[in-house]
Amino acid sequence: MNTVLEDMRDGVREDGISRAGEILRSGGLVAFPTETVYGLGANALDAGASARIYRAKGRPSDNPLIVHIAEWDAIKAITGDLPPQEKLLSDAFWPGPLTMVLKKAEAVPYATTGGLDTVAVRMPDNVIARSLILAGGGYIAAPSANTSGRPSPTTAQHVAEDMDGVIDMIIDGGPVSIGLESTIVDLTEDIPVILRPGYISREMLQQVVGPVEMDRGLSADDPSVHPKAPGMKYRHYAPKAPLFIVEGDRERVQEKINELTAAEYGAGKQAGVIATDESLGCYAHALVRSIGSRDRELTIAQHLYAILREFDLLEVSVIYSESFETPQMGTAIMNRLMKAAGHQVIFV
Ligand code: TXA
Ligand code: MG
């Protein structure tokens, strides 16, 4: 298949959007930018189109898709009775990086919800995404536009690495602004539960709706408790080289990483280090990359997936990373990094 590339780095182009909308309305696949990561879009109300997404990604069919809308009214046709928290949260955070899990209406095929009676809904805050959703019929299922198991794409080049020749179109809107997938909150219980942490933190949600819980399956402490979002149980974002997170006092972390990279160097191999702007000069004997600045946590989120992809190309033998418990997004950043590391942590 020939994958068409539409360049919208300078802004929305209506001719391209209408071509993309036509592809979506006839059951095809279009990758597009959102503020979180690039999505792989298909008509969410067309079971055949959703099935095509699973095939293109190599994604297990029990892992449900998020339905993207562009106008609040659209929620009514795809959901059952709405709990009061829905309105409070959509008023506060939509359009934006928040996904709500709600009871599904019949209009949404089980092919889209992975067989569940609930549906995840999000209204993205990206003009290209919003125009595309409207042009494509108003309901666009969109997982991250990566091959299953690879880091989510934060640029159109990342999408092309995984999807060129596999899907109908890629819309290039430049690098995304957040870099980690949306916060998912389940509103089907009395107390809202965070199924996946993201840019919108637990504290931000609690200011709007009162108590919010974290899904117990998110912590790795008890392997018998499975995450409630089916996708969170899969091994994700795993780089080719083993990845270890080194945690503890800043200076001791640097000492430990230097000790480990020196040992690697002594054995004739080259380690990779995930550092920050502040610590870039503190490491030797390794390929060192800065993920961003500790003073601007968004820069760390924005570069996390790109740095994992880059280390795959650099073919290092092992990767050591500092840990990034930043104020707002730290939970989300460490959730993704821990998954990439298979929860391998070295405490110093
Ligand atoms: O930021 C995002 O949310 C991006 C962009 C493209 O919008 N999309 C995204 O989709 O991250 P995906 O498919 O990569 O992740 C969707 C997650 C999975 O973990 C899935 O299991 C969960 O949402 N999910 C979807 N529907 C659900 C439901 N009804 N109940 C529980 N979890 C659900
Ligand atoms: Mg994904």
Side-chain angles (χ1 to χ4, degrees):
M1 175 186 291
N2 175 40
T3 303
V4 177
L5 187 69
E6 288 281 351
D7 185 353
M8 300 198 196
R9 284 172 298 173
D10 292 332
V12 184
R13 285 201 353 262
E14 284 312 325
D15 55 333
I17 291 292
S18 81
R19 281 193 290 276
E22 229 161 85
I23 293 171
L24 291 172
R25 276 183 277 107
S26 55
L29 303 182
V30 176
F32 62 99
T34 81
E35 70 277 30
T36 57
V37 298
Y38 273 74
L40 177 55
N43 180 355
L45 307 186
D46 174 348
S50 285
R52 249 164 247 136
I53 287 184
Y54 288 94
R55 240 175 287 140
K57 280 181 63 87
R59 176 175 174 123
S61 61
D62 68 342
N63 189 2
L65 306 174
I66 295 173
V67 180
H68 295 65
I69 57 176
E71 296 165 334
W72 186 83
D73 273 347
I75 203 172
K76 293 180 198 151
I78 54 169
T79 53
D81 288 340
L82 294 172
Q85 295 103 328
E86 182 285 323
K87 189 76 183 112
L88 294 170
L89 291 174
S90 56
D91 280 349
F93 299 114
W94 277 3
L98 180 70
T99 296
M100 293 188 245
V101 173
L102 299 158
K103 298 243 160 57
K104 94 169 185 73
E106 224 172 283
V108 188
Y110 284 114
T112 299
T113 66
L116 298 177
D117 286 313
T118 54
V119 60
V121 190
R122 160 159 132 80
M123 188 193 291
D125 178 26
N126 171 293
V127 283
I128 298 173
R130 291 162 66 83
S131 317
L132 179 73
I133 293 164
L134 294 176
Y139 300 95
I140 302 303
S144 47
N146 51 287
T147 305
S148 211
R150 294 214 70 206
S152 298
T154 53
T155 65
Q157 287 68 41
H158 296 159
V159 178
E161 283 171 21
D162 290 8
M163 293 295 159
D164 191 32
V166 178
I167 62 175
D168 300 284
M169 181 185 278
I170 298 171
I171 302 179
D172 186 351
V176 300
S177 57
I178 293 179
L180 296 181
E181 303 87 341
S182 61
T183 305
I184 303 180
V185 62
D186 182 358
L187 298 185
T188 63
E189 315 270 349
D190 290 339
I191 297 180
V193 184
I194 293 176
L195 306 186
R196 179 174 72 183
Y199 178 86
I200 310 277
S201 65
R202 182 183 191 179
E203 290 68 30
M204 290 161 77
L205 295 172
Q206 285 181 331
Q207 276 174 14
V208 177
V209 288
V212 172
E213 284 171 2
M214 296 292 288
D215 179 17
R216 286 183 54 230
L218 284 176
S219 96
D221 300 347
D222 182 352
S224 70
V225 183
H226 295 295
K228 215 181 151 193
M232 298 297 281
K233 73 173 181 260
Y234 292 106
R235 187 158 171 269
H236 261 203
Y237 327 125
K240 286 183 195 148
L243 166 63
F244 294 88
I245 300 167
V246 185
E247 228 177 271
D249 169 75
R250 202 84 45 89
E251 272 173 31
R252 296 193 44 206
V253 165
Q254 289 170 10
E255 269 169 37
K256 184 69 185 177
I257 291 180
N258 275 320
E259 182 191 314
L260 291 163
T261 57
E264 204 66 12
Y265 186 74
K269 291 182 272 185
Q270 189 159 46
V273 174
I274 303 181
T276 58
D277 291 355
E278 291 78 14
S279 65
L280 199 55
C282 302
Y283 298 104
H285 303 307
L287 279 176
V288 189
R289 292 290 180 273
S290 171
I291 192 172
S293 167
R294 287 190 182 270
D295 293 336
R296 291 178 297 135
E297 58 177 324
L298 199 52
T299 60
I300 296 179
Q302 281 165 346
H303 299 127
L304 175 61
Y305 290 138
I307 223 170
L308 294 177
R309 281 181 183 255
E310 186 182 352
F311 274 125
D312 275 354
L313 295 175
L314 291 171
E315 297 189 335
V316 291
S317 52
V318 58
I319 307 165
Y320 299 110
S321 178
E322 296 179 6
S323 92
F324 311 103
E325 306 285 5
T326 59
Q328 184 190 324
M329 297 186 73
T331 308
I333 293 167
M334 291 312 293
N335 168 266
R336 308 308 195 277
L337 193 59
M338 285 289 259
K339 285 176 76 155
H343 296 273
Q344 304 183 101
V345 183
I346 299 168
F347 294 98
V348 294

